[in-house]
Structures are given as C-alpha cells and as structure tokens.
Amino acid sequence: MNAVHTAGRLRSALPPRRQASVVLLACLVPALLSGCFTDTQRFPGMLKPLSNPLPEGVKSTFLRGPEDAYVIRHSDPVSVRTAETTSTVRLTYYDKRTRTPAGSWVYSGPNGHVEVLLPGNTVITMRGPSAGVVGSESRREPAFTFIDVAHATVTFGELGIVQLPGGALLEAYGGPFVLELISDDILRVRNRSSQQGAIAYREELFSLSPSEVVDLALLQVGTAPFELDEASRDVLTEAGRVEIRGTVDVLSSGLSARLRASGDSEISGFGQTLRLDPGDEVLFEGLGSEAERQARNSPPSGTP
C-alpha cells in the first residue's frame, strides 16, 4: 500500500470536525515558523544615508593620487580600503593580491601579515594589528603613512620618506628599518641597513646610523616635526638641534655649542626658548660633555 492511499485512509477515518482542526493546524504551522525565522537583514531594511553624495571629509581624509601600490596578503586577516571609499575589501587566500591607488588604506589584523610594494621599489611589511595609508609623492606626501603599527619593516629602494605613528618622519635610503611598538606609548626604530637614516621628531632631528636604535615617545599632542620659521635657521650640533632667530654667532659647535647674540635674538632648543640681548652668550651641552669635562679636569692616574 503506498503512502498516498495510507494518508487518505487516515483522513477518512477521522471525524469531520477533527479533520477541520487538522487543516487549520496545517495552515498555522508555516505562518508561525516564518515569524520565528525573520530575516533581520531584510527587515526593516537598509539605513538610508542622510545626504547623497557623502560630504567631503566623510569618505576619506586621504584623497586619491595618481600613483599605484601593490598589496599582497601573506596571512589573514588583511583588508584594503580604496581611496575615497567607505568600505573595505578583505583579501583571501584565493584572491590575495590587489592594485590600489594612492590614498588607500591597508589594514592588518592580529595574525595578519601584509606586504605593500610602493613606487620607487619601496617595500612596507606589517605584522599584527597595523594600519597605514599609501601616499602620493607627486603631491609631496610621504610614500607611506603609518596610522598604527605593531611590527613593521621599511625598505627604501631610493631616497624616500615615511611617516611614523604620531607624525614623525623617517627619511633614508635602503633598509630595512624595523618599527616595533614595545609599549602603548613607545615606538622603537632600529636601523638594520648599511645606510644612514634620519628621523624628524618635533624640534629634534635624530641621525640613525647602521645598527643604532632610538625609542620615540608617542605623545598625545603628536610627534610631527615643527614647521620652521622662514626667518630662522638651524644649527645642528652633537648636543642637538638649535633653532636661531635674529643675529647669532656660533662660537663653537660640538658636544657643547656656544652661541653669542650680536643683536636682539631668540634661540630655541632642548625644550626651551631663550631671548637674548646683544652680547649675551648661551652654552648648550650634550649628555656626554659633563663626563668628558670631568675626565679632562681629573689628574692622571698615579699622580699624587
């Protein structure tokens, strides 16, 4: 006996009122089930934008540039947000390469590893939670701007500049230069190349020789280099950089820098600003000058 005949016999065996109840129950069950599994992605629907098109500044603070970069995902998660757009595209193992214009964002997640190939053979690699923006050198922007970094390396194919988190600028030729966030407010920069590097950090200009390491404080006010007054000039000494406005003579420049004002002048350096009258002198000393001075003034060993 087939199933159709069996169902027919069961229906015929029920009283008429019982049959009506079964039909009503059969109609109610699909309706109840459809209510339990409401698709929240379709109801009540997508939010409508308050303005269309989006106003300037909403889509991106970095505008599209003529240069292109090549992004390669090595491990998940890695995402790219194309310049002047508001959505990100995640790179997958089957589609792990993409070309993106200047002004685009590149993201790396906690276990992510991404490589960014820039014009001029500059290569950026980021591991862990990191983010950066491809720059447009034709607009005199850094080749790459690090927004956040856990561990990254920068290898310049030619003389170039990248912006570090906070705004400080790293300029060098060759590489690699290793960036490592060793705490919430300390960024370590290590020169593992055979070339000289330089870091412009607020009013200071650090020279980074091969194998040297510098720890930079990430300040809430930012670490971007100060804009210099056109009427000022810089004196770079072993003690540090000094900014001069007015008429100032540099009497000596080394571990200690001695300056004399021949007119109304202003000198800024080492976190302070001094206003000098004609004839005033000021002496700046590096950290090593005190020890060297004591060594020079102390008598030779064995001298009574």
Side-chain angles (χ1 to χ4, degrees):
M1 182 182 295
N2 57 33
V4 175
H5 291 162
T6 302
R9 289 180 59 186
L10 289 174
R11 285 196 295 269
S12 63
L14 293 174
R17 184 174 299 176
R18 184 77 174 272
Q19 293 183 31
S21 301
V22 171
V23 173
L24 179 61
L25 180 62
C27 295
L28 289 175
V29 169
L32 291 174
L33 290 177
S34 64
C36 295
F37 296 97
T38 300
D39 187 357
T40 58
Q41 299 299 318
R42 297 182 180 179
F43 180 82
M46 297 181 62
L47 296 177
K48 301 297 183 181
L50 298 179
S51 62
N52 190 18
L54 294 175
E56 288 296 328
V58 174
K59 292 184 289 186
S60 176
T61 56
F62 296 88
L63 300 178
R64 180 187 292 264
E67 297 87 352
D68 282 339
Y70 201 57
V71 182
I72 305 174
R73 162 210 167 275
H74 292 293
S75 64
D76 281 333
V78 171
S79 301
V80 175
R81 191 181 83 180
T82 306
E84 299 184 349
T85 64
T86 56
S87 60
T88 61
V89 176
R90 185 164 176 174
L91 302 185
T92 60
Y93 71 93
Y94 56 85
D95 188 15
K96 62 182 181 180
R97 300 179 180 89
T98 186
R99 186 184 296 272
T100 190
S104 300
W105 292 64
V106 181
Y107 302 92
S108 172
N111 296 314
H113 179 198
V114 62
E115 189 174 10
V116 185
L117 309 182
L118 301 170
N121 295 326
T122 296
V123 180
I124 305 290
T125 63
M126 296 188 295
R127 296 176 182 268
S130 306
V133 183
V134 179
S136 175
E137 293 185 296
S138 63
R139 294 199 301 247
R140 304 180 66 85
E141 296 174 356
F144 195 80
T145 297
F146 287 97
I147 305 300
D148 208 355
V149 66
H151 187 280
T153 60
V154 181
T155 303
F156 297 97
E158 55 189 30
L159 186 64
I161 300 176
V162 297
Q163 183 171 308
L164 306 178
L169 298 177
L170 168 64
E171 181 176 11
Y173 179 87
F177 290 83
V178 180
L179 314 179
E180 184 180 4
L181 190 69
I182 61 175
S183 69
D184 291 340
D185 53 1
I186 299 293
L187 176 69
R188 175 166 293 171
V189 183
R190 188 188 306 271
N191 184 356
R192 288 186 175 172
S193 74
S194 59
Q195 303 290 335
Q196 192 86 2
I199 298 177
Y201 178 94
R202 293 176 66 83
E203 75 273 10
E204 294 296 332
L205 182 63
F206 298 107
S207 179
L208 202 60
S209 300
S211 301
E212 283 191 340
V213 179
V214 62
D215 289 345
L216 305 176
L218 300 178
L219 308 176
Q220 292 184 352
V221 295
T223 61
F226 290 165
E227 294 290 337
L228 298 179
D229 189 352
E230 295 181 356
S232 66
R233 61 189 176 99
D234 274 1
V235 175
L236 186 59
T237 71
E238 295 183 34
R241 188 175 70 170
V242 180
E243 183 181 352
I244 298 173
R245 300 180 187 86
T247 307
V248 177
D249 300 324
V250 181
L251 303 181
S252 63
S253 177
L255 284 178
S256 61
R258 185 180 298 274
L259 307 139
R260 177 187 295 162
S262 55
D264 293 335
S265 306
E266 185 176 278
I267 298 176
S268 299
F270 308 97
Q272 57 185 340
T273 299
L274 305 175
R275 291 182 175 84
L276 305 180
D277 294 327
D280 289 346
E281 288 189 13
V282 62
L283 177 66
F284 292 104
E285 292 188 341
L287 295 177
S289 57
E290 178 65 23
E292 291 187 356
R293 185 170 60 252
Q294 292 179 0
R296 289 195 303 265
N297 295 335
S298 62
S301 60
T303 303

